[in-house]
Every structure is written in structure tokens, then in C-alpha cells.
Amino acid sequence: MGIIERIKEIEAEMARTQKNKATEYHLGQLKAKIAKLRTQLLEPPKGASGGGEGFEVTKYGHGRVALIGFPSVGKSTLLTMLTGTHSEAASYEFTTLTCIPGVIHYNDTKIQLLDLPGIIEGASEGKGRGRQVIAVAKSSDLVLMVLDASKSEGHRQILTKELEAVGLRLNKKPPQIYFKKKKTGGISFNTTAPLTHIDEKLCYQILHEYKIHNAEILFRENATVDDFIDVIEGNRKYIKCVYVYNKIDVVGIDDVDRLARQPNSIVISCNLKLNLDRLLARMWDEMALVRVYSKPQGQQPDFDEPFVLSSDRGGCTVEDFCNHVHRTLVKDMKYALVWGTSARHNPQNCGLSQHLEDEDVVQVVKKKERDEGGRGRFKSHSNAPARIADREKKAPLKQ
């Protein structure tokens, strides 16, 4: 029996099992088995050369956004309108067969936009090049799920289910669970919050399914069984997602209003060029890019080329800014002067841990190198010999 058949068999068993207090341990073990099988499904087959055809493109710019959706929902048209890059668009499905990149120039930054082939139901099992599409989505900073406003809303649930099956968690935060494997000592279970979805016995059974008998576990929140399995697997990607409903020009105003009020959603029309500026602003807010301008000492700030920081790519502190400028600047920095919304007063004398905000201006003051003779009226060190024996004898007085 193949992996896909085993997954379907376990899913059928979970569907016919009643959910109550007596069966929660059995359902927890079944969820762990499915998670293990899906991890095996994503791994390349043993003995394979690993040279399979893919369409991964090189990262470019200050952020990466992936367009995901069913065929013929307007992904290629949206890429062409936002970036100017030509992507073939037609009325038939699967017009795009590979990954087509484009660049959005917005707020002095460059954002890479990827037009991916349409995925279908069963993409997590490899149908329709679904694995390659999802692999590129995992490397993105933001996912735009493009949906057809005139079709069934079940498409959103199908796509979310396919992405979650391969380890993509949309609009979720990592669970506050500390987990560490150990060599000896058994299983140590602790919690700082009341647990209503999972208990110590169920944790032991799930760890036994993974053949883990020595570990340290600490729950800092009321997590579920799925959250605990995600922490054990350790290969989950938590990514932001915006649901983009296209073709609103073919539905009624009541449907447009209902779709626009859903969380993490935005409505557009590529045919009539409606609400595209609002989409760009929403992308900018979700990616949370921080532009920092440098100011050389005694000169005006350079507002032409900002240094773009992001919490997803390194961080947004003064130390991260110094590493963007030069890797040795952190060692040479004495302090930094910061102008902007992150400073309490302008300018503020800051250290490496200061958190920067968008459009801040930073001037880095370096340490001054001391000369051999010291500085000021007093020397910092003496040039005299360390031992008396090394001192030079004075010349004798003239007779």
C-alpha cells in the first residue's frame, strides 16, 4: 500500500470515529500518523538523483510575494498590471506552465512578484506540479491567494487545506511550546497555562508514535494536538496570506461588500483596474518593510537609496542596519544617532538594540583610534621599558 492510500485510509478512520472524551487519545495518535506520512510524501524517493525539473528563481529585491490560485483566476493579468512583465494570459486553463517573476517598484523598494502555475485539488500529493508550486510559496514572505469572486467560496477552503497539508500555516503564529529532545532522563512535562485540548497522557502517546522517549516539553499557552505535532515535526512555515478576490465587476455590489468585509481579504478587478492601489498598500502593510536612511557625519541624509529591513529577514534593530551597511561596522560603532518615529527625541543617542521604524534616519558614530602617543595633555600609556635592566644608561657628565 502506498503512502497516499495509507493517508486516505487513516482519514476515513478519523471521519467515522466519534469525537468524545474516550476517543481523543486514539484521534491524537491518528493525527500523528498522518503528519509522519505527509512528511514522507514530501521527501524525494530513495535512490533518486535529485535533479528533477523545477522552476525556482533567484531571490531578488527586498521581499518576495507569490501568487497562488486555481487556473484562470487572473494571476498572469495581475502580474502584468503590477510589474509590467508580460505573462501570457488566455481564456483556457493552465496558460502559465512555469514560474514567471516580475518586480514591483513601490515606496523606493523592489518587491519580487512570482506568477505560479495554477494548482488543483490534490496538489499536496503531487498532482499538476503542485509540489514545485508549494515549494516556491514556502520561500516567499507573503502569499496572495487569488480567487474568482464569481465562483464558489469552497475554493478558498480547498487551497488552504492543500497548503496546510504540506506544512504551510497561513496567518498563524508559531505555538508557544518548548520542545527539546534529550538522550536520557525520560519525558519531562510542564505547563504554565491551563490545557483544555491536550494532556500529559496524550503527549506521551504522540511522542511514542514518533519513537521519542526522552524529551523536555513546556506549554506556554493552551495549544491543541495539531500545534504539538507541528512543533515535533519542526518543518512548518508560518506565513502571512491575503485573499484577493478578482473579477468583482461580474458580481453584485452586495457580494462585493460581503467579500471585502472578510478578514485578510481584498477585492479587485484586473479588467477594469479597480482597487489595485489598495492592494499594493495592503501588501506593503503585511510585509512590514522598514526603510532606514543613512546620514554621514556632517552631511545631509541620503534619501535616494534606503536600507530596507524586515523582521522576517534578519530584524529591524540598529545592529541589523549596521550589518546591512558593512559587517565590520558593529565592532567600530560607538553609538548611533536616530531621527524618526522610533526616537523619543530628535536625535536620540541609541545602542545596537534600538528598534527602528519606517523612514528613520540613522547616523553611526565610530570609535576614534588612539595614536601611539595618546591624546590630550596626558598620555594613555607610557613608552618606558617594563624592566629596569632594559633602561638605557645615561651618558657620563663631561669633565
Side-chain angles (χ1 to χ4, degrees):
M1 184 183 296
I3 296 177
I4 299 176
E5 288 78 11
R6 289 163 63 188
I7 291 176
K8 291 182 179 178
E9 183 180 344
I10 296 174
E11 287 178 343
E13 184 179 352
M14 290 177 64
R16 62 174 178 262
T17 303
Q18 292 183 352
K19 294 183 179 180
N20 52 46
K21 201 72 176 175
T23 61
E24 63 178 4
Y25 298 110
H26 179 61
L27 288 172
Q29 284 184 311
L30 293 180
K31 287 180 179 179
K33 287 181 180 178
I34 285 184
K36 284 179 60 180
L37 291 173
R38 282 178 174 159
T39 303
Q40 295 177 16
L41 194 63
L42 293 176
E43 294 175 353
K46 293 183 178 179
S49 60
E53 183 183 356
F55 40 71
E56 176 63 63
V57 294
T58 306
K59 276 193 175 185
Y60 176 79
H62 305 111
R64 171 180 274 197
V65 179
L67 295 173
I68 285 184
F70 280 99
S72 295
V73 293
K75 299 188 299 297
S76 300
T77 308
L78 183 61
L79 175 86
T80 304
M81 299 187 71
L82 292 180
T83 66
T85 304
H86 176 70
S87 180
E88 186 178 354
S91 58
Y92 54 87
E93 295 186 347
F94 296 104
T95 313
T96 304
L97 299 176
T98 185
C99 178
I100 300 175
V103 179
I104 302 174
H105 296 271
Y106 188 75
N107 284 349
D108 295 330
T109 62
K110 298 172 184 176
I111 301 173
Q112 188 180 43
L113 187 66
L114 301 180
D115 179 19
L116 299 173
I119 61 177
I120 57 177
E121 191 172 1
S124 58
E125 301 169 1
K127 294 182 180 178
R129 302 194 74 182
R131 291 185 191 173
Q132 292 98 319
V133 172
I134 294 169
V136 176
K138 274 191 173 183
S139 67
S140 304
D141 303 310
L142 177 68
V143 168
L144 293 184
M145 188 181 291
V146 185
L147 303 164
D148 193 337
S150 62
K151 293 188 178 179
S152 169
E153 289 192 20
H155 288 182
R156 175 171 168 174
Q157 282 76 20
I158 293 172
L159 286 172
T160 304
K161 183 180 178 182
E162 292 293 331
L163 295 178
E164 289 200 344
V166 294
L168 271 173
R169 300 290 178 261
L170 303 180
N171 296 324
K172 292 182 181 179
K173 292 183 179 180
Q176 297 296 314
I177 302 174
Y178 173 78
F179 175 75
K180 183 180 180 182
K181 293 182 182 179
K182 297 190 298 185
K183 294 184 178 179
T184 57
I187 296 175
S188 171
F189 181 88
N190 292 291
T191 176
T192 59
L195 301 179
T196 59
H197 307 289
I198 194 171
D199 57 8
E200 187 173 356
K201 180 182 176 182
L202 183 53
C203 286
Y204 286 179
Q205 291 185 345
I206 293 174
L207 291 173
H208 183 71
E209 188 67 36
Y210 281 93
K211 296 183 173 61
I212 299 174
H213 307 291
N214 302 285
E216 189 176 346
I217 308 165
L218 174 61
F219 281 80
R220 297 190 178 97
E221 66 177 4
N222 186 16
T224 62
V225 178
D226 297 322
D227 293 335
F228 183 58
I229 293 174
D230 289 346
V231 172
I232 295 175
E233 288 284 344
N235 58 355
R236 304 303 191 229
K237 177 71 183 293
Y238 297 86
I239 191 169
K240 296 178 182 178
C241 177
V242 176
Y243 303 99
V244 182
Y245 288 93
N246 189 22
K247 303 180 183 179
I248 60 171
D249 52 322
V250 298
V251 297
I253 189 64
D254 294 334
D255 293 332
V256 173
D257 182 66
R258 178 178 51 83
L259 294 174
R261 293 181 184 276
Q262 292 184 0
N264 303 312
S265 301
I266 191 167
V267 291
I268 65 166
S269 173
C270 292
N271 186 26
L272 299 179
K273 300 182 181 180
L274 297 177
N275 218 22
L276 294 180
D277 53 346
R278 186 74 178 271
L279 174 61
L280 288 174
R282 184 63 181 270
M283 286 170 50
W284 177 264
D285 293 339
E286 292 292 338
M287 296 182 72
L289 297 179
V290 175
R291 292 166 294 171
V292 180
Y293 300 98
S294 61
K295 180 186 180 303
Q297 199 163 357
Q299 301 179 25
Q300 292 294 323
D302 181 15
F303 290 113
D304 296 330
E305 290 291 334
F307 293 90
V308 181
L309 309 178
S310 171
S311 56
D312 296 331
R313 294 192 179 191
C316 301
T317 62
V318 174
E319 183 177 1
D320 302 316
F321 168 75
C322 293
N323 290 329
H324 268 70
V325 178
H326 199 273
R327 60 171 183 246
T328 62
L329 189 57
V330 175
K331 298 179 181 179
D332 299 335
M333 191 188 92
K334 185 178 182 182
Y335 61 89
L337 296 175
V338 178
W339 292 262
T341 55
S342 66
R344 296 180 182 176
H345 47 82
N346 290 321
Q348 181 181 350
N349 193 326
C350 303
L352 291 173
S353 60
Q354 171 73 11
H355 188 81
L356 300 174
E357 296 180 2
D358 192 29
E359 294 189 317
D360 278 358
V361 176
V362 178
Q363 174 184 327
V364 177
V365 180
K366 292 185 177 181
K367 301 173 185 175
K368 292 186 178 179
E369 297 181 0
R370 292 181 175 179
D371 297 330
E372 188 178 351
R375 64 180 183 179
R377 294 174 55 195
F378 304 101
K379 290 186 178 182
S380 58
H381 58 273
S382 174
N383 294 329
R387 298 183 300 172
I388 298 177
D390 295 336
R391 293 184 179 179
E392 296 181 5
K393 292 184 179 180
K394 294 182 179 180
L397 296 174
K398 294 184 179 179
Q399 294 291 337

Short mmCIF file of all heavy atoms in Angstrom, two decimals, residues 56-109:
data_model
loop_
_atom_site.label_atom_id
_atom_site.label_comp_id
_atom_site.label_asym_id
_atom_site.label_seq_id
_atom_site.Cartn_x
_atom_site.Cartn_y
_atom_site.Cartn_z
N GLU A 56 12.36 27.09 -9.58
CA GLU A 56 12.79 28.05 -8.56
C GLU A 56 13.60 29.17 -9.22
O GLU A 56 14.47 28.91 -10.06
CB GLU A 56 13.64 27.33 -7.51
CG GLU A 56 14.22 28.24 -6.46
CD GLU A 56 13.15 28.92 -5.63
OE1 GLU A 56 12.41 28.24 -4.94
OE2 GLU A 56 13.08 30.16 -5.71
N VAL A 57 13.30 30.41 -8.86
CA VAL A 57 14.02 31.55 -9.40
C VAL A 57 14.81 32.21 -8.28
O VAL A 57 14.48 32.10 -7.10
CB VAL A 57 13.06 32.57 -10.05
CG1 VAL A 57 12.38 31.98 -11.27
CG2 VAL A 57 12.02 33.05 -9.06
N THR A 58 15.87 32.90 -8.65
CA THR A 58 16.74 33.53 -7.67
C THR A 58 16.01 34.66 -6.95
O THR A 58 15.27 35.42 -7.58
CB THR A 58 18.00 34.08 -8.37
OG1 THR A 58 18.61 33.03 -9.12
CG2 THR A 58 18.98 34.63 -7.35
N LYS A 59 16.24 34.76 -5.64
CA LYS A 59 15.62 35.83 -4.87
C LYS A 59 16.20 37.17 -5.31
O LYS A 59 17.39 37.31 -5.51
CB LYS A 59 15.87 35.62 -3.38
CG LYS A 59 14.88 34.67 -2.72
CD LYS A 59 14.98 34.75 -1.21
CE LYS A 59 13.90 33.90 -0.56
NZ LYS A 59 13.88 34.04 0.90
N TYR A 60 15.32 38.14 -5.44
CA TYR A 60 15.73 39.47 -5.88
C TYR A 60 14.89 40.49 -5.13
O TYR A 60 13.71 40.27 -4.84
CB TYR A 60 15.54 39.62 -7.39
CG TYR A 60 15.86 41.00 -7.91
CD1 TYR A 60 17.17 41.40 -8.12
CD2 TYR A 60 14.84 41.92 -8.17
CE1 TYR A 60 17.46 42.68 -8.59
CE2 TYR A 60 15.12 43.18 -8.64
CZ TYR A 60 16.43 43.57 -8.84
OH TYR A 60 16.72 44.82 -9.29
N GLY A 61 15.50 41.61 -4.82
CA GLY A 61 14.75 42.68 -4.18
C GLY A 61 14.70 42.54 -2.67
O GLY A 61 15.44 41.77 -2.06
N HIS A 62 13.79 43.30 -2.07
CA HIS A 62 13.68 43.38 -0.62
C HIS A 62 12.60 42.49 -0.06
O HIS A 62 12.45 42.41 1.16
CB HIS A 62 13.42 44.83 -0.21
CG HIS A 62 14.44 45.79 -0.74
ND1 HIS A 62 14.15 46.72 -1.71
CD2 HIS A 62 15.75 45.95 -0.46
CE1 HIS A 62 15.23 47.42 -1.99
NE2 HIS A 62 16.22 46.98 -1.26
N GLY A 63 11.84 41.82 -0.90
CA GLY A 63 10.78 40.92 -0.44
C GLY A 63 10.29 40.08 -1.59
O GLY A 63 10.51 40.39 -2.77
N ARG A 64 9.61 38.98 -1.26
CA ARG A 64 9.10 38.08 -2.29
C ARG A 64 7.63 37.76 -2.01
O ARG A 64 7.26 37.42 -0.89
CB ARG A 64 9.92 36.79 -2.32
CG ARG A 64 9.33 35.70 -3.20
CD ARG A 64 10.17 34.45 -3.20
NE ARG A 64 11.23 34.52 -4.20
CZ ARG A 64 11.90 33.45 -4.65
NH1 ARG A 64 11.63 32.26 -4.17
NH2 ARG A 64 12.84 33.59 -5.55
N VAL A 65 6.80 37.91 -3.05
CA VAL A 65 5.37 37.64 -2.95
C VAL A 65 5.01 36.60 -4.00
O VAL A 65 5.42 36.72 -5.16
CB VAL A 65 4.55 38.93 -3.17
CG1 VAL A 65 3.06 38.64 -3.07
CG2 VAL A 65 4.94 39.99 -2.14
N ALA A 66 4.24 35.57 -3.60
CA ALA A 66 3.85 34.50 -4.51
C ALA A 66 2.35 34.58 -4.78
O ALA A 66 1.55 34.80 -3.86
CB ALA A 66 4.20 33.14 -3.92
N LEU A 67 1.98 34.40 -6.05
CA LEU A 67 0.57 34.36 -6.46
C LEU A 67 0.13 32.91 -6.56
O LEU A 67 0.68 32.15 -7.36
CB LEU A 67 0.38 35.07 -7.81
CG LEU A 67 0.65 36.58 -7.85
CD1 LEU A 67 0.58 37.08 -9.29
CD2 LEU A 67 -0.33 37.33 -6.99
N ILE A 68 -0.84 32.53 -5.76
CA ILE A 68 -1.33 31.14 -5.75
C ILE A 68 -2.82 31.17 -6.00
O ILE A 68 -3.54 32.03 -5.49
CB ILE A 68 -1.01 30.46 -4.40
CG1 ILE A 68 0.47 30.11 -4.33
CG2 ILE A 68 -1.84 29.20 -4.20
CD1 ILE A 68 0.87 29.36 -3.10
N GLY A 69 -3.28 30.22 -6.80
CA GLY A 69 -4.72 30.14 -7.06
C GLY A 69 -5.03 29.06 -8.07
O GLY A 69 -4.12 28.43 -8.64
N PHE A 70 -6.30 28.85 -8.30
CA PHE A 70 -6.74 27.89 -9.31
C PHE A 70 -6.46 28.45 -10.71
O PHE A 70 -6.21 29.65 -10.88
CB PHE A 70 -8.23 27.61 -9.15
CG PHE A 70 -8.54 26.63 -8.05
CD1 PHE A 70 -8.96 27.08 -6.81
CD2 PHE A 70 -8.40 25.28 -8.26
CE1 PHE A 70 -9.24 26.19 -5.80
CE2 PHE A 70 -8.67 24.37 -7.25
CZ PHE A 70 -9.09 24.83 -6.02
N PRO A 71 -6.48 27.61 -11.72
CA PRO A 71 -6.26 28.11 -13.09
C PRO A 71 -7.33 29.11 -13.51
O PRO A 71 -8.49 29.03 -13.10
CB PRO A 71 -6.33 26.83 -13.93
CG PRO A 71 -6.01 25.72 -13.00
CD PRO A 71 -6.55 26.14 -11.67
N SER A 72 -6.92 30.09 -14.32
CA SER A 72 -7.81 31.09 -14.93
C SER A 72 -8.57 31.93 -13.90
O SER A 72 -9.77 32.13 -14.00
CB SER A 72 -8.82 30.39 -15.87
OG SER A 72 -8.15 29.81 -16.95
N VAL A 73 -7.84 32.42 -12.88
CA VAL A 73 -8.46 33.36 -11.94
C VAL A 73 -7.88 34.76 -12.10
O VAL A 73 -8.34 35.69 -11.43
CB VAL A 73 -8.27 32.88 -10.47
CG1 VAL A 73 -9.04 31.62 -10.22
CG2 VAL A 73 -6.80 32.72 -10.13
N GLY A 74 -6.87 34.93 -12.97
CA GLY A 74 -6.33 36.26 -13.25
C GLY A 74 -4.97 36.53 -12.66
O GLY A 74 -4.58 37.69 -12.51
N LYS A 75 -4.19 35.49 -12.35
CA LYS A 75 -2.86 35.69 -11.76
C LYS A 75 -1.91 36.33 -12.76
O LYS A 75 -1.17 37.27 -12.42
CB LYS A 75 -2.28 34.35 -11.26
CG LYS A 75 -3.10 33.67 -10.18
CD LYS A 75 -2.39 32.46 -9.62
CE LYS A 75 -2.12 31.40 -10.66
NZ LYS A 75 -3.38 30.84 -11.22
N SER A 76 -1.90 35.85 -13.99
CA SER A 76 -0.99 36.39 -15.01
C SER A 76 -1.35 37.83 -15.35
O SER A 76 -0.47 38.68 -15.53
CB SER A 76 -1.03 35.52 -16.26
OG SER A 76 -0.62 34.19 -15.96
N THR A 77 -2.64 38.13 -15.43
CA THR A 77 -3.06 39.51 -15.71
C THR A 77 -2.65 40.44 -14.58
O THR A 77 -2.21 41.57 -14.81
CB THR A 77 -4.58 39.55 -15.91
OG1 THR A 77 -4.96 38.57 -16.88
CG2 THR A 77 -5.03 40.92 -16.37
N LEU A 78 -2.78 39.97 -13.35
CA LEU A 78 -2.40 40.79 -12.19
C LEU A 78 -0.90 41.06 -12.20
O LEU A 78 -0.46 42.19 -11.92
CB LEU A 78 -2.81 40.08 -10.91
CG LEU A 78 -2.54 40.82 -9.60
CD1 LEU A 78 -3.29 42.14 -9.56
CD2 LEU A 78 -2.92 39.95 -8.40
N LEU A 79 -0.09 40.04 -12.54
CA LEU A 79 1.36 40.24 -12.61
C LEU A 79 1.71 41.28 -13.68
O LEU A 79 2.56 42.15 -13.46
CB LEU A 79 2.06 38.91 -12.90
CG LEU A 79 3.57 38.99 -13.13
CD1 LEU A 79 4.31 38.94 -11.80
CD2 LEU A 79 4.07 37.89 -14.04
N THR A 80 1.08 41.19 -14.85
CA THR A 80 1.36 42.12 -15.93
C THR A 80 1.01 43.56 -15.54
O THR A 80 1.74 44.50 -15.85
CB THR A 80 0.59 41.70 -17.19
OG1 THR A 80 0.93 40.35 -17.51
CG2 THR A 80 0.92 42.60 -18.35
N MET A 81 -0.10 43.74 -14.82
CA MET A 81 -0.53 45.09 -14.47
C MET A 81 0.31 45.70 -13.35
O MET A 81 0.51 46.90 -13.32
CB MET A 81 -2.01 45.06 -14.06
CG MET A 81 -2.93 44.58 -15.16
SD MET A 81 -4.66 44.74 -14.74
CE MET A 81 -4.83 46.50 -14.81
N LEU A 82 0.79 44.88 -12.43
CA LEU A 82 1.55 45.42 -11.30
C LEU A 82 3.03 45.62 -11.62
O LEU A 82 3.66 46.52 -11.08
CB LEU A 82 1.42 44.49 -10.09
CG LEU A 82 0.05 44.39 -9.44
CD1 LEU A 82 0.09 43.43 -8.25
CD2 LEU A 82 -0.45 45.75 -8.98
N THR A 83 3.59 44.77 -12.48
CA THR A 83 5.04 44.81 -12.72
C THR A 83 5.40 45.23 -14.14
O THR A 83 6.55 45.63 -14.36
CB THR A 83 5.67 43.42 -12.45
OG1 THR A 83 5.18 42.48 -13.41
CG2 THR A 83 5.32 42.95 -11.05
N GLY A 84 4.49 45.12 -15.08
CA GLY A 84 4.84 45.39 -16.47
C GLY A 84 5.47 44.21 -17.18
O GLY A 84 5.72 44.26 -18.39
N THR A 85 5.75 43.13 -16.46
CA THR A 85 6.31 41.92 -17.06
C THR A 85 5.20 41.18 -17.80
O THR A 85 4.12 40.96 -17.25
CB THR A 85 6.92 41.00 -15.99
OG1 THR A 85 7.89 41.74 -15.26
CG2 THR A 85 7.56 39.78 -16.62
N HIS A 86 5.46 40.78 -19.04
CA HIS A 86 4.44 40.11 -19.83
C HIS A 86 4.35 38.65 -19.40
O HIS A 86 5.32 37.91 -19.41
CB HIS A 86 4.76 40.18 -21.33
CG HIS A 86 3.78 39.41 -22.17
ND1 HIS A 86 2.47 39.82 -22.34
CD2 HIS A 86 3.92 38.26 -22.86
CE1 HIS A 86 1.85 38.95 -23.11
NE2 HIS A 86 2.71 37.99 -23.45
N SER A 87 3.14 38.26 -19.00
CA SER A 87 2.85 36.86 -18.71
C SER A 87 1.64 36.48 -19.53
O SER A 87 0.59 37.16 -19.48
CB SER A 87 2.57 36.67 -17.21
OG SER A 87 2.29 35.31 -16.94
N GLU A 88 1.76 35.43 -20.32
CA GLU A 88 0.70 35.07 -21.27
C GLU A 88 -0.60 34.80 -20.54
O GLU A 88 -0.65 34.03 -19.57
CB GLU A 88 1.13 33.83 -22.07
CG GLU A 88 0.14 33.49 -23.18
CD GLU A 88 0.59 32.29 -23.99
OE1 GLU A 88 1.73 31.81 -23.75
OE2 GLU A 88 -0.18 31.82 -24.84
N ALA A 89 -1.66 35.42 -20.98
CA ALA A 89 -2.99 35.23 -20.41
C ALA A 89 -3.95 34.85 -21.52
O ALA A 89 -3.96 35.45 -22.60
CB ALA A 89 -3.47 36.51 -19.72
N ALA A 90 -4.78 33.83 -21.24
CA ALA A 90 -5.76 33.38 -22.22
C ALA A 90 -6.98 32.85 -21.48
O ALA A 90 -6.98 32.71 -20.26
CB ALA A 90 -5.15 32.29 -23.12
N SER A 91 -8.04 32.55 -22.25
CA SER A 91 -9.30 32.13 -21.64
C SER A 91 -9.28 30.66 -21.22
O SER A 91 -10.18 30.22 -20.52
CB SER A 91 -10.45 32.37 -22.62
OG SER A 91 -10.21 31.67 -23.83
N TYR A 92 -8.28 29.88 -21.67
CA TYR A 92 -8.22 28.47 -21.30
C TYR A 92 -7.35 28.28 -20.06
O TYR A 92 -6.53 29.14 -19.72
CB TYR A 92 -7.68 27.64 -22.47
CG TYR A 92 -6.35 28.10 -23.01
CD1 TYR A 92 -5.16 27.64 -22.46
CD2 TYR A 92 -6.29 28.97 -24.09
CE1 TYR A 92 -3.93 28.06 -22.95
CE2 TYR A 92 -5.08 29.41 -24.59
CZ TYR A 92 -3.90 28.94 -24.02
OH TYR A 92 -2.69 29.36 -24.49
N GLU A 93 -7.53 27.13 -19.41
CA GLU A 93 -6.81 26.86 -18.16
C GLU A 93 -5.38 26.42 -18.43
O GLU A 93 -5.04 25.95 -19.53
CB GLU A 93 -7.55 25.79 -17.36
CG GLU A 93 -8.94 26.24 -16.90
CD GLU A 93 -9.59 25.22 -15.99
OE1 GLU A 93 -9.10 24.09 -15.92
OE2 GLU A 93 -10.60 25.56 -15.33
N PHE A 94 -4.55 26.58 -17.39
CA PHE A 94 -3.13 26.20 -17.42
C PHE A 94 -2.38 26.92 -18.54
O PHE A 94 -1.61 26.31 -19.30
CB PHE A 94 -2.95 24.67 -17.55
CG PHE A 94 -3.48 23.91 -16.37
CD1 PHE A 94 -4.68 23.22 -16.45
CD2 PHE A 94 -2.79 23.90 -15.18
CE1 PHE A 94 -5.17 22.53 -15.36
CE2 PHE A 94 -3.28 23.21 -14.08
CZ PHE A 94 -4.48 22.52 -14.18
N THR A 95 -2.64 28.21 -18.68
CA THR A 95 -1.87 29.01 -19.64
C THR A 95 -0.43 29.16 -19.18
O THR A 95 0.51 29.06 -19.98
CB THR A 95 -2.52 30.41 -19.79
OG1 THR A 95 -3.93 30.25 -19.96
CG2 THR A 95 -1.95 31.14 -20.97
N THR A 96 -0.25 29.39 -17.90
CA THR A 96 1.10 29.52 -17.32
C THR A 96 1.58 28.15 -16.89
O THR A 96 0.93 27.48 -16.07
CB THR A 96 1.07 30.48 -16.12
OG1 THR A 96 0.52 31.73 -16.53
CG2 THR A 96 2.46 30.69 -15.57
N LEU A 97 2.73 27.72 -17.41
CA LEU A 97 3.26 26.39 -17.10
C LEU A 97 4.55 26.45 -16.29
O LEU A 97 5.06 25.41 -15.90
CB LEU A 97 3.52 25.61 -18.41
CG LEU A 97 2.27 25.37 -19.28
CD1 LEU A 97 2.67 24.69 -20.57
CD2 LEU A 97 1.25 24.54 -18.52
N THR A 98 5.09 27.62 -16.05
CA THR A 98 6.32 27.74 -15.27
C THR A 98 6.22 29.00 -14.41
O THR A 98 5.21 29.72 -14.45
CB THR A 98 7.55 27.81 -16.19
OG1 THR A 98 8.73 27.82 -15.39
CG2 THR A 98 7.51 29.05 -17.05
N CYS A 99 7.25 29.26 -13.62
CA CYS A 99 7.25 30.41 -12.73
C CYS A 99 7.77 31.64 -13.48
O CYS A 99 8.86 31.62 -14.03
CB CYS A 99 8.13 30.13 -11.50
SG CYS A 99 8.23 31.50 -10.36
N ILE A 100 6.97 32.71 -13.49
CA ILE A 100 7.34 33.94 -14.18
C ILE A 100 7.54 35.03 -13.15
O ILE A 100 6.57 35.40 -12.47
CB ILE A 100 6.27 34.33 -15.21
CG1 ILE A 100 6.12 33.22 -16.25
CG2 ILE A 100 6.62 35.66 -15.89
CD1 ILE A 100 5.02 33.45 -17.25
N PRO A 101 8.76 35.56 -12.99
CA PRO A 101 8.99 36.61 -11.98
C PRO A 101 8.79 38.00 -12.55
O PRO A 101 8.97 38.25 -13.74
CB PRO A 101 10.44 36.38 -11.58
CG PRO A 101 11.09 35.84 -12.82
CD PRO A 101 10.01 35.08 -13.58
N GLY A 102 8.42 38.92 -11.67
CA GLY A 102 8.35 40.33 -12.00
C GLY A 102 8.75 41.15 -10.79
O GLY A 102 8.83 40.63 -9.68
N VAL A 103 9.00 42.43 -10.98
CA VAL A 103 9.46 43.31 -9.89
C VAL A 103 8.51 44.49 -9.77
O VAL A 103 8.23 45.17 -10.76
CB VAL A 103 10.90 43.80 -10.13
CG1 VAL A 103 11.35 44.71 -9.00
CG2 VAL A 103 11.86 42.62 -10.25
N ILE A 104 8.02 44.73 -8.54
CA ILE A 104 7.18 45.88 -8.24
C ILE A 104 8.05 46.95 -7.60
O ILE A 104 8.72 46.70 -6.60
CB ILE A 104 6.04 45.49 -7.28
CG1 ILE A 104 5.19 44.38 -7.87
CG2 ILE A 104 5.17 46.70 -6.95
CD1 ILE A 104 4.14 43.84 -6.91
N HIS A 105 8.06 48.14 -8.17
CA HIS A 105 8.79 49.28 -7.59
C HIS A 105 7.77 50.10 -6.79
O HIS A 105 6.91 50.77 -7.37
CB HIS A 105 9.44 50.12 -8.68
CG HIS A 105 10.50 49.38 -9.45
ND1 HIS A 105 11.82 49.36 -9.05
CD2 HIS A 105 10.43 48.61 -10.57
CE1 HIS A 105 12.52 48.63 -9.90
NE2 HIS A 105 11.70 48.17 -10.84
N TYR A 106 7.88 50.03 -5.47
CA TYR A 106 6.89 50.66 -4.60
C TYR A 106 7.59 51.23 -3.38
O TYR A 106 8.33 50.51 -2.69
CB TYR A 106 5.83 49.64 -4.20
CG TYR A 106 4.65 50.22 -3.44
CD1 TYR A 106 3.68 50.95 -4.10
CD2 TYR A 106 4.51 50.01 -2.08
CE1 TYR A 106 2.59 51.48 -3.43
CE2 TYR A 106 3.43 50.53 -1.39
CZ TYR A 106 2.47 51.26 -2.07
OH TYR A 106 1.40 51.79 -1.39
N ASN A 107 7.39 52.52 -3.10
CA ASN A 107 7.97 53.18 -1.91
C ASN A 107 9.49 53.01 -1.84
O ASN A 107 10.05 52.66 -0.79
CB ASN A 107 7.33 52.67 -0.63
CG ASN A 107 5.94 53.23 -0.41
OD1 ASN A 107 5.52 54.15 -1.10
ND2 ASN A 107 5.21 52.67 0.55
N ASP A 108 10.17 53.23 -2.95
CA ASP A 108 11.64 53.15 -3.02
C ASP A 108 12.16 51.75 -2.72
O ASP A 108 13.32 51.58 -2.35
CB ASP A 108 12.30 54.15 -2.06
CG ASP A 108 12.01 55.58 -2.45
OD1 ASP A 108 11.83 55.84 -3.66
OD2 ASP A 108 11.96 56.45 -1.55
N THR A 109 11.32 50.73 -2.85
CA THR A 109 11.76 49.35 -2.63
C THR A 109 11.44 48.52 -3.86
O THR A 109 10.65 48.93 -4.73
CB THR A 109 11.06 48.73 -1.40
OG1 THR A 109 9.65 48.69 -1.63
CG2 THR A 109 11.36 49.52 -0.14
#
